[in-house]
Amino acid sequence: MQPSDRVMNLRQVFVTILMFGVAGLLLFMYLQAWIEEHHTVSGEKLQQQIINQDSKLPHPEELATAPKNQSVAANLNKRQTTVIMGRHSQEKATPFGEIASSLVSRLSEPQKMTKALLKQLKQVNLPTVMRPLNKSLIKDDRWKNIDEAQEKRRYFLYDFCKKYSSENRLRTHLVRMVSRIYVEDRHKILYCEVPKAGCSNWKRVLMVLNGLASSTFSISHDAVHYGKHLKKLDSYDLKGIQTRLNTYTKTIFVRDPMERLVSAFRDKFEHPNSYYHPVFGKAIIKKYRLNAREEALKTGSGVKFEEFVRYLLDSHRPVGMDIHWEQISKLCHPCLINYDFIGKFETLEEDANYFLQLIGAPADLKFPNFKDRHSSDERTNMEVVRQYLKELSGSERQLTYDFYYLDYLMFNYTMPIV
């Protein structure tokens, strides 16, 4: 064999090896691109499902930037609000599941909370037809305007809840849902207690209706809250609970979320309090105040509103929640219990006295309008609220609105401009 032939054979071998190498590299690159494309498309689909689900609700920032006189109802009407909840537990652990987990982890705590509450709405049966109010005891037209406002509230809440509920709902445990509901059997009333929305005077009214007192003015604050005179719905057996839910008149009185929050803070932290200062105040000051003085750490007195809000928004609170600032959507489950009457603190006396007419209360029983605690303090109104909100940064205000987002939506309160 000539030397030139040997060189040619080596060149052919080298070219052959090189061609196989290039082919293998191209095949590897193709497979890698196919795998990446496959995973990306699946991830994008999953992400789009989550985005689609969130997009059904107007974002709090949209509500915050709406005109001051524009209600949440107007914002809701701009979008379709039916939410189709995604399937979360049907897939085994896969890269797609990791993508979903990553996406959900990026949601803010208020958004997670709202999603969890909306998911809960699917777990009980909502009556297909809203029960009309019995107005047979209303004999004149002086309640006409209040009645019209009441019907609008009822239908707004019912329509809102219906949109967020699936057709195939399961029953949830009733006892858990009704723990804040008081019972007055004589007039067949169920009242869900919302603290800082007239609840003390409402319990006085229930005691008079039940024959436990002759006048609301003779019942002390301690007798109202610590006397254990009124029965709660969760004290009955399941049959008793269900019967009363189906036959009694159910009422709830609500309040603008920010007014309610500031009112709770002023009541519990700006006056001496043997429970809230040592239990909540000490924990809040210890975690959220830099260089706190020994006296403040010892007594828990002097909590600032900004510190209180930081505690409220903290997912790792040093002490748990309290009914005075818990969301109404969690206290009274307005989409799980079909309330017949929805009163508002802003029109408390008119709404309450109209309700007393509806249920046939004694003619001389009127809803009391006095404050039995800190009576010399100015009532918490929106002007007072604005002064407290000045202590917060813009992001803290927005997060606080987000915290009560569902309450704003359910009861058609206007979201303030941050």
Side-chain angles (χ1 to χ4, degrees):
M1 181 179 293
Q2 298 295 324
S4 60
D5 294 335
R6 292 175 183 170
V7 173
M8 290 296 294
N9 288 338
L10 289 174
R11 287 178 178 173
Q12 289 175 354
V13 171
F14 175 76
V15 170
T16 302
I17 293 173
L18 182 62
M19 290 178 64
F20 274 108
V22 171
L25 180 61
L26 291 173
L27 179 61
F28 173 77
M29 292 173 63
Y30 172 77
L31 291 174
Q32 187 179 37
W34 182 88
I35 292 171
E36 288 179 354
E37 180 182 4
H38 179 73
H39 282 205
T40 301
V41 171
S42 299
E44 287 176 350
K45 287 182 178 179
L46 184 56
Q47 183 178 16
Q48 191 61 43
Q49 288 178 358
I50 296 175
I51 291 173
N52 288 343
Q53 179 176 324
D54 287 341
S55 67
K56 305 300 182 181
L57 278 171
H59 191 272
E61 292 180 358
E62 297 178 18
L63 297 178
T65 57
K68 289 186 178 180
N69 62 349
Q70 183 172 337
S71 67
V72 176
N75 288 280
L76 281 175
N77 289 335
K78 293 180 180 178
R79 296 174 179 241
Q80 177 186 1
T81 54
T82 303
V83 170
I84 302 174
M85 303 303 294
R87 292 170 291 181
H88 300 293
S89 60
Q90 295 178 3
E91 299 292 337
K92 296 181 179 179
T94 65
F96 308 151
E98 294 174 5
I99 295 172
S101 177
S102 174
L103 289 170
V104 173
S105 68
R106 295 173 195 167
L107 296 173
S108 68
E109 287 299 323
Q111 285 175 312
K112 291 180 184 178
M113 194 177 310
T114 299
K115 287 164 71 68
L117 287 168
L118 291 175
K119 183 178 180 180
Q120 189 183 23
L121 302 188
K122 300 174 67 177
Q123 296 179 332
V124 297
N125 287 329
L126 189 71
T128 55
V129 178
M130 186 170 60
R131 187 173 68 177
L133 275 173
N134 181 1
K135 303 175 185 178
S136 60
L137 298 176
I138 303 298
K139 303 300 183 183
D140 53 54
D141 292 333
R142 65 187 174 121
W143 304 105
K144 181 179 179 181
N145 292 337
I146 298 174
D147 177 68
E148 289 176 353
Q150 181 58 216
E151 290 300 323
K152 289 179 181 178
R153 293 173 194 166
R154 279 164 28 94
Y155 277 99
F156 180 88
L157 178 61
Y158 184 82
D159 288 342
F160 174 86
C161 295
K162 192 173 182 180
K163 291 174 183 177
Y164 284 95
S165 302
S166 67
E167 295 180 358
N168 299 316
R169 286 162 294 209
L170 301 174
R171 290 194 178 276
T172 191
H173 202 284
L174 287 177
V175 175
R176 192 179 307 164
M177 289 165 43
V178 301
S179 61
R180 304 307 315 169
I181 295 181
Y182 286 88
V183 181
E184 201 285 286
D185 284 315
R186 284 189 176 185
H187 297 80
K188 296 186 176 182
I189 300 169
L190 298 180
Y191 163 70
C192 187
E193 175 190 29
V194 176
K196 313 311 300 177
C199 69
S200 297
N201 282 339
W202 256 118
K203 285 189 275 190
R204 288 185 172 92
V205 169
L206 294 179
M207 290 174 67
V208 172
L209 288 173
N210 208 32
L212 299 172
S214 58
S215 168
T216 57
F217 295 94
S218 64
I219 307 172
S220 68
H221 178 87
D222 287 349
V224 167
H225 291 284
Y226 310 119
K228 306 295 182 183
H229 301 295
L230 298 171
K231 294 190 70 173
K232 287 187 176 180
L233 191 52
D234 61 357
S235 66
Y236 295 85
D237 60 21
L238 288 176
K239 182 179 179 181
I241 293 173
Q242 188 68 65
T243 298
R244 285 168 175 80
L245 283 173
N246 289 335
T247 59
Y248 283 25
T249 303
K250 301 175 289 295
T251 184
I252 178 175
F253 274 69
V254 301
R255 187 176 187 177
D256 177 274
M258 288 302 104
E259 270 196 24
R260 183 170 163 255
L261 177 67
V262 172
S263 177
F265 173 78
R266 295 177 71 198
D267 181 27
K268 304 306 178 188
F269 295 103
E270 292 188 347
H271 298 273
N273 193 295
S274 59
Y275 172 74
Y276 284 92
H277 290 195
V279 174
F280 288 88
K282 288 167 66 174
I284 290 173
I285 291 172
K286 181 178 180 180
K287 183 167 183 180
Y288 305 106
R289 183 179 299 180
L290 294 176
N291 303 318
R293 294 184 178 182
E294 190 65 30
E295 182 67 18
L297 292 170
K298 183 178 178 180
T299 64
S301 299
V303 171
K304 300 175 183 177
F305 185 65
E306 179 186 11
E307 296 167 340
F308 174 65
V309 168
R310 290 179 64 190
Y311 144 79
L312 181 75
L313 301 176
D314 191 349
S315 59
H316 303 287
R317 300 182 190 96
V319 62
M321 281 294 287
D322 182 84
I323 60 171
H324 290 84
W325 47 83
E326 181 67 276
Q327 298 102 320
I328 300 173
S329 53
K330 286 188 175 182
L331 290 174
C332 296
H333 305 282
C335 281
L336 307 183
I337 297 172
N338 190 17
Y339 288 96
D340 303 297
F341 191 95
I342 303 165
K344 289 194 172 184
F345 186 82
E346 294 75 14
T347 51
L348 178 59
E349 286 187 62
E350 298 95 322
D351 291 345
N353 287 323
Y354 177 51
F355 179 79
L356 292 176
Q357 290 282 315
L358 287 172
I359 54 96
D364 60 344
L365 178 60
K366 306 298 180 184
F367 190 83
N369 62 359
F370 60 84
K371 290 178 63 177
D372 62 350
R373 282 161 56 91
H374 321 310
S375 56
S376 61
D377 288 1
E378 180 184 3
R379 283 190 182 273
T380 303
N381 53 35
M382 288 311 298
E383 183 57 39
V384 173
V385 169
R386 277 189 282 271
Q387 298 304 313
Y388 280 82
L389 292 181
K390 288 180 180 178
E391 300 179 25
L392 308 180
S393 66
S395 61
E396 287 172 330
R397 289 196 296 271
Q398 185 63 61
L399 288 171
T400 308
Y401 300 146
D402 291 356
F403 185 84
Y404 293 103
Y405 180 43
L406 206 52
D407 287 354
Y408 275 105
L409 289 179
M410 285 181 169
F411 302 109
N412 199 20
Y413 279 109
T414 302
M415 186 77 73
I417 297 177
V418 177

